[in-house]
Amino acid sequence: KQEVTQIPAALSVPEGENLVLNCSFTDSAIYNLQWFRQDPGKGLTSLLLIQSSQREQTSGRLNASLDKSSGRSTLYIAASQPGDSATYLCAVPTSGNTGKLIFGQGTTLQVKP
Amino acid sequence: NAGVTQTPKFRILKIGQSMTLQCAQDMNHNYMYWYRQDPGMGLKLIYYSVGAGITDKGEVPNGYNVSRSTTEDFPLRLELAAPSQTSVYFCASSYPERGNGGYTFGSGTRLTVV
C-alpha cells in the first residue's frame, strides 16, 4: 500500500532564506507527483506536477525534483517571502486510471518578515 | 467563475442528524472526488466518481453516501452524524487522466458534530 510522508511537519524561517521541503513515498511505481499549496481556510492549489519521466519541474521561485528510485521528492523555494507562508502537500496517484490521489500530511511553512 | 463550488462553508450538526454537502463544477470534468482533512493530516479520499452514474468507495467511506446523476453535481450525504465526522470536507474534480493536472479543489466545508 502506497504511503506518503512529509517531513518536517512545520518549518519557520526568516524572509529571504532558501528552503527545501521533503516528500517520500513507499511505492516507486508512480506516474507522477504533485505539489499543492493550501492557505488557511482555503482549498488546495496545484503548484507543480512532475511526470515519472522527469527529474525536475520549475515554476518561478519553485523547483520540484523527483527521484523515483529512492522514493523521494523535494520542493525547493528560493528567496522565501512572507507570502509563501502556507501548508504544502505532496500527492501521488493510486493505481488505475481514476485520478485518485494519496496525500502526505503536509508541511506548514511560516516565513517571518 | 469556473471552478468547483461547495456549499455550505460551515455547518454545526448534532449527533444523529443528517445533511448533504453540495458540490458542483462547471468545467465538464468527468472525474470528481470527496476528501476529508483532519487537523495536521493530509487528505483522505471518501468517495469518487469517474462519470455520471458511476461512483465508488475511497479509503474512508463509512458513514457517507454519494450520488452522481449529472456531470456537474456530486453531493455527499452524511447519515447519523457522529463526532468522528468532524472535519473539513473538500470536493475536487480533474481531467480523466492519471491525476495529470487539471485538479481543481473547492474551498471546503468545515463541519462540526456536537
mmCIF file of all heavy atoms in Angstrom, chain A residues 1 31-32 34 36 38 41-44 46 49 51 89 93 96-101 103-105, chain B residues 31 33 35 37 40-43 45 48 50 59 90 96-101 103 105-107 110:
data_model
loop_
_atom_site.group_PDB
_atom_site.id
_atom_site.type_symbol
_atom_site.label_atom_id
_atom_site.label_comp_id
_atom_site.label_asym_id
_atom_site.label_seq_id
_atom_site.Cartn_x
_atom_site.Cartn_y
_atom_site.Cartn_z
ATOM 1 N N LYS A 1 0.842 -1.189 0.000
ATOM 2 C CA LYS A 1 0.000 0.000 0.000
ATOM 3 C C LYS A 1 0.881 1.244 0.000
ATOM 4 O O LYS A 1 1.797 1.359 0.798
ATOM 5 C CB LYS A 1 -0.908 -0.006 1.224
ATOM 6 C CG LYS A 1 -1.797 1.214 1.335
ATOM 7 C CD LYS A 1 -2.588 1.181 2.621
ATOM 8 C CE LYS A 1 -3.407 2.466 2.802
ATOM 9 N NZ LYS A 1 -4.098 2.492 4.096
ATOM 10 N N TYR A 31 3.095 7.366 -11.499
ATOM 11 C CA TYR A 31 3.027 8.007 -12.808
ATOM 12 C C TYR A 31 3.496 9.456 -12.754
ATOM 13 O O TYR A 31 3.997 10.005 -13.716
ATOM 14 C CB TYR A 31 1.603 7.949 -13.344
ATOM 15 C CG TYR A 31 1.180 6.553 -13.713
ATOM 16 C CD1 TYR A 31 0.441 5.778 -12.828
ATOM 17 C CD2 TYR A 31 1.527 5.999 -14.938
ATOM 18 C CE1 TYR A 31 0.065 4.490 -13.159
ATOM 19 C CE2 TYR A 31 1.149 4.712 -15.280
ATOM 20 C CZ TYR A 31 0.430 3.963 -14.379
ATOM 21 O OH TYR A 31 0.056 2.687 -14.700
ATOM 22 N N ASN A 32 3.255 10.077 -11.601
ATOM 23 C CA ASN A 32 3.658 11.459 -11.422
ATOM 24 C C ASN A 32 3.577 11.812 -9.943
ATOM 25 O O ASN A 32 3.158 10.982 -9.115
ATOM 26 C CB ASN A 32 2.774 12.415 -12.240
ATOM 27 C CG ASN A 32 1.294 12.274 -11.914
ATOM 28 O OD1 ASN A 32 0.886 12.411 -10.769
ATOM 29 N ND2 ASN A 32 0.481 12.019 -12.926
ATOM 30 N N GLN A 34 2.564 15.386 -7.489
ATOM 31 C CA GLN A 34 2.130 16.784 -7.483
ATOM 32 C C GLN A 34 2.451 17.430 -6.151
ATOM 33 O O GLN A 34 2.371 16.787 -5.105
ATOM 34 C CB GLN A 34 0.610 16.885 -7.710
ATOM 35 C CG GLN A 34 0.163 16.532 -9.106
ATOM 36 C CD GLN A 34 -1.274 16.930 -9.357
ATOM 37 O OE1 GLN A 34 -1.605 18.114 -9.349
ATOM 38 N NE2 GLN A 34 -2.121 15.942 -9.598
ATOM 39 N N PHE A 36 1.040 20.657 -3.898
ATOM 40 C CA PHE A 36 -0.074 21.580 -3.730
ATOM 41 C C PHE A 36 0.258 22.584 -2.629
ATOM 42 O O PHE A 36 1.025 22.306 -1.710
ATOM 43 C CB PHE A 36 -1.352 20.842 -3.318
ATOM 44 C CG PHE A 36 -1.941 19.954 -4.368
ATOM 45 C CD1 PHE A 36 -1.522 18.642 -4.510
ATOM 46 C CD2 PHE A 36 -2.946 20.426 -5.210
ATOM 47 C CE1 PHE A 36 -2.083 17.811 -5.465
ATOM 48 C CE2 PHE A 36 -3.510 19.602 -6.165
ATOM 49 C CZ PHE A 36 -3.075 18.291 -6.299
ATOM 50 N N GLN A 38 -1.794 25.009 0.259
ATOM 51 C CA GLN A 38 -3.072 25.251 0.924
ATOM 52 C C GLN A 38 -2.921 26.430 1.874
ATOM 53 O O GLN A 38 -2.137 26.376 2.825
ATOM 54 C CB GLN A 38 -3.538 24.011 1.698
ATOM 55 C CG GLN A 38 -4.901 24.188 2.334
ATOM 56 C CD GLN A 38 -5.377 22.941 3.055
ATOM 57 O OE1 GLN A 38 -4.579 22.117 3.511
ATOM 58 N NE2 GLN A 38 -6.687 22.781 3.159
ATOM 59 N N GLY A 41 -7.815 27.944 5.779
ATOM 60 C CA GLY A 41 -9.240 28.067 5.480
ATOM 61 C C GLY A 41 -9.591 27.988 4.010
ATOM 62 O O GLY A 41 -10.732 28.288 3.630
ATOM 63 N N LYS A 42 -8.637 27.596 3.184
ATOM 64 C CA LYS A 42 -8.874 27.543 1.739
ATOM 65 C C LYS A 42 -8.699 26.129 1.210
ATOM 66 O O LYS A 42 -8.239 25.232 1.911
ATOM 67 C CB LYS A 42 -7.884 28.467 1.016
ATOM 68 C CG LYS A 42 -7.910 29.915 1.490
ATOM 69 C CD LYS A 42 -9.172 30.619 1.099
ATOM 70 C CE LYS A 42 -9.103 32.090 1.448
ATOM 71 N NZ LYS A 42 -10.366 32.801 1.112
ATOM 72 N N GLY A 43 -9.061 25.963 -0.060
ATOM 73 C CA GLY A 43 -8.811 24.700 -0.733
ATOM 74 C C GLY A 43 -7.374 24.596 -1.191
ATOM 75 O O GLY A 43 -6.539 25.443 -0.875
ATOM 76 N N LEU A 44 -7.070 23.553 -1.943
ATOM 77 C CA LEU A 44 -5.719 23.315 -2.414
ATOM 78 C C LEU A 44 -5.541 23.874 -3.818
ATOM 79 O O LEU A 44 -6.460 23.805 -4.646
ATOM 80 C CB LEU A 44 -5.419 21.820 -2.445
ATOM 81 C CG LEU A 44 -5.040 21.153 -1.133
ATOM 82 C CD1 LEU A 44 -6.215 21.088 -0.174
ATOM 83 C CD2 LEU A 44 -4.491 19.758 -1.388
ATOM 84 N N SER A 46 -2.881 23.569 -7.096
ATOM 85 C CA SER A 46 -1.784 22.804 -7.653
ATOM 86 C C SER A 46 -0.624 23.735 -8.009
ATOM 87 O O SER A 46 -0.807 24.756 -8.666
ATOM 88 C CB SER A 46 -2.252 22.055 -8.899
ATOM 89 O OG SER A 46 -1.184 21.287 -9.437
ATOM 90 N N LEU A 49 3.563 19.750 -11.164
ATOM 91 C CA LEU A 49 3.314 18.346 -11.458
ATOM 92 C C LEU A 49 4.562 17.804 -12.145
ATOM 93 O O LEU A 49 4.995 18.357 -13.149
ATOM 94 C CB LEU A 49 2.107 18.205 -12.374
ATOM 95 C CG LEU A 49 1.851 16.824 -12.965
ATOM 96 C CD1 LEU A 49 1.387 15.874 -11.887
ATOM 97 C CD2 LEU A 49 0.823 16.894 -14.085
ATOM 98 N N GLN A 51 6.108 14.554 -14.007
ATOM 99 C CA GLN A 51 5.837 13.250 -14.599
ATOM 100 C C GLN A 51 6.924 12.267 -14.175
ATOM 101 O O GLN A 51 8.031 12.665 -13.853
ATOM 102 C CB GLN A 51 5.789 13.363 -16.116
ATOM 103 C CG GLN A 51 4.755 14.332 -16.656
ATOM 104 C CD GLN A 51 3.333 13.854 -16.469
ATOM 105 O OE1 GLN A 51 3.095 12.723 -16.021
ATOM 106 N NE2 GLN A 51 2.369 14.692 -16.786
ATOM 107 N N LEU A 89 1.530 20.398 0.415
ATOM 108 C CA LEU A 89 1.247 18.970 0.408
ATOM 109 C C LEU A 89 1.737 18.353 -0.890
ATOM 110 O O LEU A 89 1.607 18.945 -1.958
ATOM 111 C CB LEU A 89 -0.253 18.693 0.552
ATOM 112 C CG LEU A 89 -0.911 19.152 1.846
ATOM 113 C CD1 LEU A 89 -1.643 20.469 1.628
ATOM 114 C CD2 LEU A 89 -1.891 18.104 2.358
ATOM 115 N N PRO A 93 -0.622 9.590 -7.471
ATOM 116 C CA PRO A 93 -1.822 8.868 -7.881
ATOM 117 C C PRO A 93 -1.790 7.432 -7.364
ATOM 118 O O PRO A 93 -0.722 6.828 -7.229
ATOM 119 C CB PRO A 93 -1.765 8.873 -9.403
ATOM 120 C CG PRO A 93 -0.714 9.852 -9.769
ATOM 121 C CD PRO A 93 0.217 9.912 -8.622
ATOM 122 N N GLY A 96 -4.407 2.560 -11.307
ATOM 123 C CA GLY A 96 -5.665 2.643 -12.039
ATOM 124 C C GLY A 96 -5.925 4.025 -12.579
ATOM 125 O O GLY A 96 -5.418 5.015 -12.068
ATOM 126 N N ASN A 97 -6.735 4.119 -13.596
ATOM 127 C CA ASN A 97 -6.979 5.384 -14.274
ATOM 128 C C ASN A 97 -8.186 6.094 -13.680
ATOM 129 O O ASN A 97 -9.195 6.290 -14.326
ATOM 130 C CB ASN A 97 -7.209 5.139 -15.771
ATOM 131 C CG ASN A 97 -7.285 6.433 -16.539
ATOM 132 O OD1 ASN A 97 -6.816 7.478 -16.087
ATOM 133 N ND2 ASN A 97 -7.920 6.393 -17.690
ATOM 134 N N THR A 98 -8.061 6.444 -12.404
ATOM 135 C CA THR A 98 -9.185 7.090 -11.732
ATOM 136 C C THR A 98 -8.854 8.476 -11.215
ATOM 137 O O THR A 98 -9.731 9.171 -10.720
ATOM 138 C CB THR A 98 -9.648 6.249 -10.532
ATOM 139 O OG1 THR A 98 -8.565 6.116 -9.619
ATOM 140 C CG2 THR A 98 -10.128 4.878 -10.979
ATOM 141 N N GLY A 99 -7.607 8.886 -11.286
ATOM 142 C CA GLY A 99 -7.214 10.201 -10.798
ATOM 143 C C GLY A 99 -7.161 10.326 -9.296
ATOM 144 O O GLY A 99 -6.937 11.413 -8.770
ATOM 145 N N LYS A 100 -7.367 9.241 -8.563
ATOM 146 C CA LYS A 100 -7.324 9.325 -7.102
ATOM 147 C C LYS A 100 -5.909 9.620 -6.640
ATOM 148 O O LYS A 100 -4.947 9.109 -7.191
ATOM 149 C CB LYS A 100 -7.786 7.997 -6.486
ATOM 150 C CG LYS A 100 -9.216 7.636 -6.812
ATOM 151 C CD LYS A 100 -9.622 6.356 -6.100
ATOM 152 C CE LYS A 100 -8.877 5.158 -6.629
ATOM 153 N NZ LYS A 100 -9.297 3.906 -5.954
ATOM 154 N N LEU A 101 -5.809 10.453 -5.610
ATOM 155 C CA LEU A 101 -4.506 10.839 -5.081
ATOM 156 C C LEU A 101 -4.341 10.374 -3.640
ATOM 157 O O LEU A 101 -5.310 10.328 -2.872
ATOM 158 C CB LEU A 101 -4.333 12.358 -5.132
ATOM 159 C CG LEU A 101 -4.317 13.008 -6.520
ATOM 160 C CD1 LEU A 101 -4.181 14.518 -6.389
ATOM 161 C CD2 LEU A 101 -3.204 12.436 -7.379
ATOM 162 N N PHE A 103 -2.248 11.613 -0.379
ATOM 163 C CA PHE A 103 -1.578 12.815 0.082
ATOM 164 C C PHE A 103 -0.660 12.544 1.260
ATOM 165 O O PHE A 103 -0.927 11.681 2.108
ATOM 166 C CB PHE A 103 -2.615 13.854 0.534
ATOM 167 C CG PHE A 103 -3.339 14.525 -0.588
ATOM 168 C CD1 PHE A 103 -4.456 13.939 -1.160
ATOM 169 C CD2 PHE A 103 -2.909 15.751 -1.079
ATOM 170 C CE1 PHE A 103 -5.137 14.561 -2.194
ATOM 171 C CE2 PHE A 103 -3.581 16.385 -2.109
ATOM 172 C CZ PHE A 103 -4.692 15.783 -2.668
ATOM 173 N N GLY A 104 0.426 13.322 1.336
ATOM 174 C CA GLY A 104 1.179 13.415 2.573
ATOM 175 C C GLY A 104 0.438 14.313 3.543
ATOM 176 O O GLY A 104 -0.576 14.940 3.184
ATOM 177 N N GLN A 105 0.928 14.375 4.752
ATOM 178 C CA GLN A 105 0.216 15.136 5.783
ATOM 179 C C GLN A 105 0.524 16.626 5.717
ATOM 180 O O GLN A 105 -0.104 17.419 6.420
ATOM 181 C CB GLN A 105 0.516 14.591 7.183
ATOM 182 C CG GLN A 105 1.976 14.678 7.586
ATOM 183 C CD GLN A 105 2.755 13.438 7.196
ATOM 184 O OE1 GLN A 105 2.842 13.104 6.022
ATOM 185 N NE2 GLN A 105 3.314 12.764 8.187
ATOM 186 N N TYR B 31 -14.263 13.361 -13.785
ATOM 187 C CA TYR B 31 -13.804 12.786 -12.531
ATOM 188 C C TYR B 31 -14.044 13.766 -11.380
ATOM 189 O O TYR B 31 -13.640 14.918 -11.441
ATOM 190 C CB TYR B 31 -12.310 12.459 -12.591
ATOM 191 C CG TYR B 31 -11.964 11.266 -13.445
ATOM 192 C CD1 TYR B 31 -12.675 10.971 -14.595
ATOM 193 C CD2 TYR B 31 -10.921 10.437 -13.095
ATOM 194 C CE1 TYR B 31 -12.355 9.877 -15.382
ATOM 195 C CE2 TYR B 31 -10.588 9.337 -13.865
ATOM 196 C CZ TYR B 31 -11.308 9.058 -15.011
ATOM 197 O OH TYR B 31 -10.978 7.979 -15.774
ATOM 198 N N TYR B 33 -14.315 13.989 -6.804
ATOM 199 C CA TYR B 33 -13.824 13.339 -5.592
ATOM 200 C C TYR B 33 -14.328 14.078 -4.355
ATOM 201 O O TYR B 33 -14.527 15.287 -4.384
ATOM 202 C CB TYR B 33 -12.298 13.353 -5.533
ATOM 203 C CG TYR B 33 -11.608 13.057 -6.840
ATOM 204 C CD1 TYR B 33 -11.398 14.066 -7.776
ATOM 205 C CD2 TYR B 33 -11.177 11.777 -7.152
ATOM 206 C CE1 TYR B 33 -10.779 13.814 -8.984
ATOM 207 C CE2 TYR B 33 -10.556 11.512 -8.359
ATOM 208 C CZ TYR B 33 -10.347 12.524 -9.276
ATOM 209 O OH TYR B 33 -9.733 12.270 -10.471
ATOM 210 N N TYR B 35 -12.870 14.424 -0.427
ATOM 211 C CA TYR B 35 -11.814 14.155 0.527
ATOM 212 C C TYR B 35 -12.204 14.784 1.861
ATOM 213 O O TYR B 35 -12.932 15.775 1.900
ATOM 214 C CB TYR B 35 -10.493 14.780 0.083
ATOM 215 C CG TYR B 35 -9.829 14.149 -1.110
ATOM 216 C CD1 TYR B 35 -10.101 14.599 -2.393
ATOM 217 C CD2 TYR B 35 -8.901 13.123 -0.959
ATOM 218 C CE1 TYR B 35 -9.479 14.032 -3.499
ATOM 219 C CE2 TYR B 35 -8.265 12.557 -2.064
ATOM 220 C CZ TYR B 35 -8.557 13.019 -3.328
ATOM 221 O OH TYR B 35 -7.938 12.461 -4.416
ATOM 222 N N GLN B 37 -10.231 16.237 5.493
ATOM 223 C CA GLN B 37 -8.940 16.611 6.049
ATOM 224 C C GLN B 37 -9.097 16.872 7.535
ATOM 225 O O GLN B 37 -9.799 17.789 7.950
ATOM 226 C CB GLN B 37 -8.388 17.854 5.350
ATOM 227 C CG GLN B 37 -6.989 18.236 5.828
ATOM 228 C CD GLN B 37 -6.438 19.454 5.106
ATOM 229 O OE1 GLN B 37 -7.176 20.375 4.765
ATOM 230 N NE2 GLN B 37 -5.139 19.461 4.849
ATOM 231 N N GLY B 40 -3.803 18.620 10.994
ATOM 232 C CA GLY B 40 -2.454 18.093 10.922
ATOM 233 C C GLY B 40 -2.291 16.878 10.035
ATOM 234 O O GLY B 40 -1.221 16.246 10.040
ATOM 235 N N MET B 41 -3.323 16.574 9.290
ATOM 236 C CA MET B 41 -3.271 15.377 8.448
ATOM 237 C C MET B 41 -3.445 15.774 6.992
ATOM 238 O O MET B 41 -3.948 16.850 6.659
ATOM 239 C CB MET B 41 -4.392 14.409 8.841
ATOM 240 C CG MET B 41 -4.378 14.013 10.301
ATOM 241 S SD MET B 41 -2.935 13.049 10.730
ATOM 242 C CE MET B 41 -3.337 11.512 9.894
ATOM 243 N N GLY B 42 -3.045 14.879 6.126
ATOM 244 C CA GLY B 42 -3.315 15.084 4.710
ATOM 245 C C GLY B 42 -4.764 14.768 4.408
ATOM 246 O O GLY B 42 -5.574 14.546 5.307
ATOM 247 N N LEU B 43 -5.093 14.746 3.147
ATOM 248 C CA LEU B 43 -6.468 14.478 2.732
ATOM 249 C C LEU B 43 -6.675 12.979 2.542
ATOM 250 O O LEU B 43 -5.793 12.286 2.020
ATOM 251 C CB LEU B 43 -6.775 15.196 1.418
ATOM 252 C CG LEU B 43 -7.085 16.683 1.505
ATOM 253 C CD1 LEU B 43 -5.863 17.491 1.881
ATOM 254 C CD2 LEU B 43 -7.674 17.178 0.195
ATOM 255 N N LEU B 45 -9.399 10.106 0.910
ATOM 256 C CA LEU B 45 -10.475 10.001 -0.065
ATOM 257 C C LEU B 45 -11.680 9.278 0.524
ATOM 258 O O LEU B 45 -11.552 8.179 1.065
ATOM 259 C CB LEU B 45 -9.970 9.247 -1.301
ATOM 260 C CG LEU B 45 -10.947 9.108 -2.458
ATOM 261 C CD1 LEU B 45 -11.262 10.481 -3.061
ATOM 262 C CD2 LEU B 45 -10.376 8.177 -3.519
ATOM 263 N N TYR B 48 -15.368 8.650 -4.834
ATOM 264 C CA TYR B 48 -15.020 9.290 -6.083
ATOM 265 C C TYR B 48 -15.966 8.808 -7.187
ATOM 266 O O TYR B 48 -16.710 7.829 -7.013
ATOM 267 C CB TYR B 48 -13.565 9.020 -6.472
ATOM 268 C CG TYR B 48 -13.256 7.579 -6.832
ATOM 269 C CD1 TYR B 48 -13.170 7.182 -8.163
ATOM 270 C CD2 TYR B 48 -13.019 6.645 -5.834
ATOM 271 C CE1 TYR B 48 -12.878 5.864 -8.490
ATOM 272 C CE2 TYR B 48 -12.734 5.334 -6.153
ATOM 273 C CZ TYR B 48 -12.656 4.944 -7.476
ATOM 274 O OH TYR B 48 -12.365 3.646 -7.795
ATOM 275 N N VAL B 50 -16.130 8.545 -11.659
ATOM 276 C CA VAL B 50 -15.448 8.723 -12.945
ATOM 277 C C VAL B 50 -16.417 9.156 -14.043
ATOM 278 O O VAL B 50 -16.026 9.261 -15.208
ATOM 279 C CB VAL B 50 -14.683 7.453 -13.366
ATOM 280 C CG1 VAL B 50 -13.618 7.114 -12.326
ATOM 281 C CG2 VAL B 50 -15.626 6.281 -13.559
ATOM 282 N N GLU B 59 -10.949 5.546 0.565
ATOM 283 C CA GLU B 59 -10.275 4.967 1.731
ATOM 284 C C GLU B 59 -11.139 4.970 2.986
ATOM 285 O O GLU B 59 -11.058 4.065 3.816
ATOM 286 C CB GLU B 59 -8.996 5.759 1.986
ATOM 287 C CG GLU B 59 -8.088 5.215 3.077
ATOM 288 C CD GLU B 59 -6.836 6.066 3.241
ATOM 289 O OE1 GLU B 59 -6.686 7.075 2.515
ATOM 290 O OE2 GLU B 59 -6.027 5.736 4.110
ATOM 291 N N PHE B 90 -13.461 18.467 1.377
ATOM 292 C CA PHE B 90 -13.115 19.094 0.109
ATOM 293 C C PHE B 90 -13.648 18.253 -1.042
ATOM 294 O O PHE B 90 -13.469 17.038 -1.086
ATOM 295 C CB PHE B 90 -11.600 19.222 -0.044
ATOM 296 C CG PHE B 90 -10.995 20.251 0.855
ATOM 297 C CD1 PHE B 90 -10.328 19.875 2.005
ATOM 298 C CD2 PHE B 90 -11.090 21.596 0.552
ATOM 299 C CE1 PHE B 90 -9.761 20.818 2.839
ATOM 300 C CE2 PHE B 90 -10.537 22.559 1.380
ATOM 301 C CZ PHE B 90 -9.870 22.161 2.529
ATOM 302 N N PRO B 96 -9.855 13.412 -17.003
ATOM 303 C CA PRO B 96 -9.893 11.939 -16.951
ATOM 304 C C PRO B 96 -8.552 11.315 -17.316
ATOM 305 O O PRO B 96 -8.430 10.606 -18.288
ATOM 306 C CB PRO B 96 -10.964 11.579 -17.978
ATOM 307 C CG PRO B 96 -10.904 12.688 -18.970
ATOM 308 C CD PRO B 96 -10.600 13.931 -18.166
ATOM 309 N N GLU B 97 -7.540 11.633 -16.523
ATOM 310 C CA GLU B 97 -6.224 11.046 -16.726
ATOM 311 C C GLU B 97 -5.726 10.533 -15.376
ATOM 312 O O GLU B 97 -6.415 10.613 -14.394
ATOM 313 C CB GLU B 97 -5.255 12.105 -17.286
ATOM 314 C CG GLU B 97 -5.676 12.628 -18.639
ATOM 315 C CD GLU B 97 -4.856 13.820 -19.062
ATOM 316 O OE1 GLU B 97 -4.452 14.609 -18.201
ATOM 317 O OE2 GLU B 97 -4.625 13.953 -20.271
ATOM 318 N N ARG B 98 -4.486 10.071 -15.326
ATOM 319 C CA ARG B 98 -3.969 9.525 -14.080
ATOM 320 C C ARG B 98 -3.548 10.644 -13.137
ATOM 321 O O ARG B 98 -2.387 10.751 -12.768
ATOM 322 C CB ARG B 98 -2.795 8.605 -14.360
ATOM 323 C CG ARG B 98 -3.162 7.419 -15.208
ATOM 324 C CD ARG B 98 -1.960 6.523 -15.444
ATOM 325 N NE ARG B 98 -2.238 5.493 -16.415
ATOM 326 C CZ ARG B 98 -2.797 4.338 -16.129
ATOM 327 N NH1 ARG B 98 -3.133 4.082 -14.898
ATOM 328 N NH2 ARG B 98 -3.016 3.448 -17.057
ATOM 329 N N GLY B 99 -4.512 11.491 -12.750
ATOM 330 C CA GLY B 99 -4.203 12.603 -11.859
ATOM 331 C C GLY B 99 -3.298 13.613 -12.512
ATOM 332 O O GLY B 99 -2.668 14.413 -11.840
ATOM 333 N N ASN B 100 -3.265 13.618 -13.832
ATOM 334 C CA ASN B 100 -2.352 14.513 -14.547
ATOM 335 C C ASN B 100 -2.894 15.915 -14.632
ATOM 336 O O ASN B 100 -3.558 16.300 -15.582
ATOM 337 C CB ASN B 100 -2.104 13.975 -15.964
ATOM 338 C CG ASN B 100 -1.144 12.833 -15.970
ATOM 339 O OD1 ASN B 100 -0.620 12.465 -14.937
ATOM 340 N ND2 ASN B 100 -0.918 12.288 -17.134
ATOM 341 N N GLY B 101 -2.643 16.697 -13.645
ATOM 342 C CA GLY B 101 -3.002 18.101 -13.674
ATOM 343 C C GLY B 101 -4.497 18.312 -13.762
ATOM 344 O O GLY B 101 -5.282 17.388 -13.640
ATOM 345 N N TYR B 103 -6.370 19.364 -11.728
ATOM 346 C CA TYR B 103 -7.024 19.066 -10.459
ATOM 347 C C TYR B 103 -7.469 20.382 -9.841
ATOM 348 O O TYR B 103 -6.648 21.234 -9.548
ATOM 349 C CB TYR B 103 -6.037 18.361 -9.518
ATOM 350 C CG TYR B 103 -6.553 17.119 -8.852
ATOM 351 C CD1 TYR B 103 -6.307 15.871 -9.404
ATOM 352 C CD2 TYR B 103 -7.278 17.186 -7.675
ATOM 353 C CE1 TYR B 103 -6.764 14.715 -8.790
ATOM 354 C CE2 TYR B 103 -7.749 16.050 -7.054
ATOM 355 C CZ TYR B 103 -7.490 14.808 -7.612
ATOM 356 O OH TYR B 103 -7.950 13.673 -7.003
ATOM 357 N N PHE B 105 -9.803 22.110 -6.716
ATOM 358 C CA PHE B 105 -10.458 21.884 -5.440
ATOM 359 C C PHE B 105 -11.463 22.989 -5.148
ATOM 360 O O PHE B 105 -11.260 24.151 -5.516
ATOM 361 C CB PHE B 105 -9.423 21.868 -4.309
ATOM 362 C CG PHE B 105 -8.725 20.559 -4.145
ATOM 363 C CD1 PHE B 105 -7.619 20.245 -4.922
ATOM 364 C CD2 PHE B 105 -9.168 19.631 -3.220
ATOM 365 C CE1 PHE B 105 -6.965 19.043 -4.775
ATOM 366 C CE2 PHE B 105 -8.521 18.417 -3.062
ATOM 367 C CZ PHE B 105 -7.420 18.122 -3.848
ATOM 368 N N GLY B 106 -12.526 22.629 -4.453
ATOM 369 C CA GLY B 106 -13.408 23.617 -3.866
ATOM 370 C C GLY B 106 -12.768 24.202 -2.615
ATOM 371 O O GLY B 106 -11.705 23.750 -2.176
ATOM 372 N N SER B 107 -13.410 25.195 -2.029
ATOM 373 C CA SER B 107 -12.840 25.892 -0.876
ATOM 374 C C SER B 107 -13.128 25.186 0.442
ATOM 375 O O SER B 107 -12.629 25.598 1.483
ATOM 376 C CB SER B 107 -13.354 27.328 -0.819
ATOM 377 O OG SER B 107 -14.766 27.328 -0.761
ATOM 378 N N ARG B 110 -16.443 23.224 6.410
ATOM 379 C CA ARG B 110 -15.971 22.895 7.759
ATOM 380 C C ARG B 110 -17.158 22.413 8.572
ATOM 381 O O ARG B 110 -18.085 23.184 8.845
ATOM 382 C CB ARG B 110 -15.318 24.110 8.410
ATOM 383 C CG ARG B 110 -14.679 23.826 9.764
ATOM 384 C CD ARG B 110 -13.938 25.061 10.279
ATOM 385 N NE ARG B 110 -12.846 25.441 9.405
ATOM 386 C CZ ARG B 110 -11.612 24.958 9.482
ATOM 387 N NH1 ARG B 110 -11.318 24.062 10.415
ATOM 388 N NH2 ARG B 110 -10.672 25.358 8.648
#
